[in-house]
Amino acid sequence: MSTRIYLDNAATSYPKPEQVYTAVDRYQRELGVAVGRGATRTGNEVSRTVRSARKRLAELLGAESPDRIIFTSNGTDSLNLAIHGLLQPGDHVVSSEMEHNSVLRPLAWLQEHRGIDVTFVSADSSGQIDPSDVRDAICPETKLIALTHASNVTGTLQPLADFCEIARTARVRLLIDAAQTAGVVPIDLRQTPIDLLACPGHKGLLGPLGTGVLYVKPGVEEELQSIRQGGTGSVSELQSQPETLPDKYESGNHNAPGLFGLEAGLTYIQKRTIPSIRQHEQALLEQLLDGFRAIDGLQIHGPNDPSRQIGIVSVTVDGFEPQILSSILDESFQIQTRAGLHCAPGVHRQMGTSDFGGTVRFSVGPMTTENDIETTILAMTEILQSS
């Protein structure tokens, strides 16, 4: 039986580096204590590993301090903390049609229940947001600009430096959804002053599911309320939530096995380096795009340019519903993709693919090989020739 080809890394990366599995298993079998809840030898080791994960993330992102790295349960949790914790009734937000539901739905809830106002800017046919549209949407009540770094549907990379300059000039907070770029595209917070950056730990950072990250720029914590209160293992005599970071936003027990795996994933990334991973994925993306361009009846949605996108390709095929095509790839060729609207309905409305059930998304990762891509191109060619 042939080995499956996994091309759904935009949902979660797989396979993980071997040391990720080893770290999670070791925590579960040999350690097992809660983070920051005891001064035993094993408790100290667990706390050291979690501190190491913060330090590695701070180094990877160029954060001012490891304490600026807040651990959450996933990218959605990070975005909810940023959005619900920052916005108040009467605030205005600038966002875009390219966003994931993890941004769209919190904003919709706040529109209905807190009376915030939101302006959604559109994108061009490749999924690119025009910075001038963002600038023009800002008004005196604007509190936040909330934008994705790269689309989870088309892979389109957005002009991050322009967004930073617009937010700085307007003195508006900037939240970046880096779900698809953290660990894949170099991000240096020293060069690109972002107020809040949210991402999951289980995608490009190569950790397990159930891990998330929120970076908080110095000073933002004075405006960002905690949206969950409880035990932190620190200053337990106080009735109120601690104001120090990261405890202000980390109530309750951490996902210790997940953070052990995340620390191992970050170690792998630091050794391999993000530029190397980016180069690897761009080469695979170019191979995939070249192969798909030669197939009659297949339409590529998005930039169709490896320099302007990450390792994501969304397609539609004449005569095939996306779910059917994805099922054929899985059942007949053991190639796993993702079909549908990808929790980003605005992107599909802009591309005109909503009425057809969305697209089939192919997304590569650090462990994807050239042979995987060659096999996928041959499979797509065979499917269309036999239809």
Side-chain angles (χ1 to χ4, degrees):
M1 183 176 179
S2 60
T3 304
R4 65 170 167 159
I5 293 174
Y6 182 82
L7 293 177
D8 196 16
N9 287 276
T12 190
S13 54
Y14 179 86
K16 312 290 185 184
E18 187 60 33
Q19 55 261 49
V20 172
Y21 305 126
T22 301
V24 174
D25 189 61
R26 179 172 177 272
Y27 169 83
Q28 297 281 45
R29 294 180 185 276
E30 299 178 18
L31 300 172
V33 301
V35 179
R37 299 304 196 270
T40 62
R41 282 178 297 175
T42 51
N44 288 336
E45 180 180 349
V46 168
S47 293
R48 281 197 304 271
T49 300
V50 173
R51 285 197 300 271
S52 175
R54 284 191 213 277
K55 183 174 182 292
R56 291 186 188 280
L57 271 165
E59 292 170 350
L60 205 67
L61 297 172
E64 297 82 356
S65 162
D67 290 343
R68 296 278 142 196
I69 302 297
I70 309 303
F71 287 131
T72 66
S73 60
N74 48 51
T76 298
D77 194 29
S78 299
L79 289 164
N80 271 264
L81 170 56
I83 292 168
H84 284 278
L86 191 68
L87 297 174
Q88 300 296 324
D91 286 341
H92 174 254
V93 180
V94 178
S95 192
S96 84
E97 295 287 350
M98 298 301 292
E99 306 309 310
H100 190 277
N101 275 338
S102 296
V103 169
L104 298 177
R105 286 177 173 174
L107 291 177
W109 190 94
L110 289 170
Q111 282 181 290
E112 180 179 355
H113 296 280
R114 284 195 197 167
I116 71 160
D117 187 25
V118 184
T119 299
F120 293 101
V121 300
S122 59
D124 64 20
S125 58
S126 72
Q128 189 89 54
I129 299 168
D130 188 336
S132 64
D133 290 341
V134 175
R135 184 183 299 109
D136 293 344
I138 295 172
C139 66
E141 293 76 29
T142 304
K143 178 71 172 290
L144 178 69
I145 299 170
L147 296 169
T148 186
H149 189 189
S151 169
N152 72 309
V153 179
T154 63
T156 309
L157 274 166
Q158 303 298 342
L160 183 58
D162 291 337
F163 297 159
C164 291
E165 179 60 24
I166 289 167
R168 186 193 64 79
T169 302
R171 297 185 178 181
V172 173
R173 295 300 186 191
L174 176 63
L175 166 63
I176 293 297
D177 177 1
Q180 299 298 332
T181 54
V184 175
V185 176
I187 298 171
D188 188 346
L189 294 166
R190 293 161 296 198
Q191 302 298 321
T192 50
I194 297 165
D195 296 294
L196 296 156
L197 183 140
C199 64
H202 67 91
K203 296 187 182 183
L205 297 179
L206 303 179
L209 287 158
T211 55
V213 176
L214 180 67
Y215 159 78
V216 180
K217 183 180 178 181
V220 176
E221 70 272 19
E222 297 172 12
E223 303 171 42
L224 185 68
Q225 298 179 4
S226 59
I227 60 174
R228 186 176 66 246
Q229 294 78 41
T232 58
S234 61
V235 291
S236 296
E237 70 278 9
L238 295 182
Q239 195 170 30
S240 58
Q241 188 75 5
E243 289 295 319
T244 55
L245 301 187
D247 290 357
K248 182 176 180 178
Y249 307 110
E250 291 187 5
S251 295
N253 279 305
H254 295 77
N255 174 9
L259 294 178
F260 263 65
L262 178 59
E263 199 273 343
L266 293 167
T267 302
Y268 173 90
I269 292 169
Q270 286 185 311
K271 289 181 178 178
R272 186 167 172 179
T273 77
I274 290 179
S276 173
I277 291 171
R278 172 72 173 144
Q279 184 178 25
H280 170 75
E281 294 193 8
Q282 278 187 292
L284 296 175
L285 175 61
E286 185 171 353
Q287 181 187 359
L288 187 61
L289 288 170
D290 285 345
F292 281 178
R293 291 188 195 110
I295 301 176
D296 291 335
L298 185 151
Q299 182 178 357
I300 300 169
H301 300 272
N304 201 354
D305 178 355
S307 68
R308 297 178 54 217
Q309 68 191 101
I310 57 171
I312 293 175
V313 179
S314 266
V315 308
T316 52
V317 173
D318 294 343
F320 286 91
E321 295 180 11
Q323 297 287 358
I324 298 299
L325 178 57
S326 184
S327 294
I328 294 171
L329 284 167
D330 183 24
E331 294 171 8
S332 299
F333 300 93
Q334 292 78 52
I335 299 170
Q336 296 185 334
T337 60
R338 171 83 182 276
L341 300 179
H342 312 98
C343 300
V347 182
H348 289 279
R349 284 195 299 269
Q350 295 233 248
M351 296 192 306
T353 52
S354 292
D355 294 341
F356 303 100
T359 58
V360 177
R361 183 184 69 189
F362 301 77
S363 50
V364 304
M367 309 305 175
T368 309
T369 67
E370 291 182 3
N371 186 62
D372 292 337
I373 301 303
E374 182 180 356
T375 302
T376 299
I377 294 167
L378 291 173
M380 289 291 287
T381 303
E382 182 177 336
I383 291 169
L384 267 70
Q385 287 179 344
S386 62
S387 64

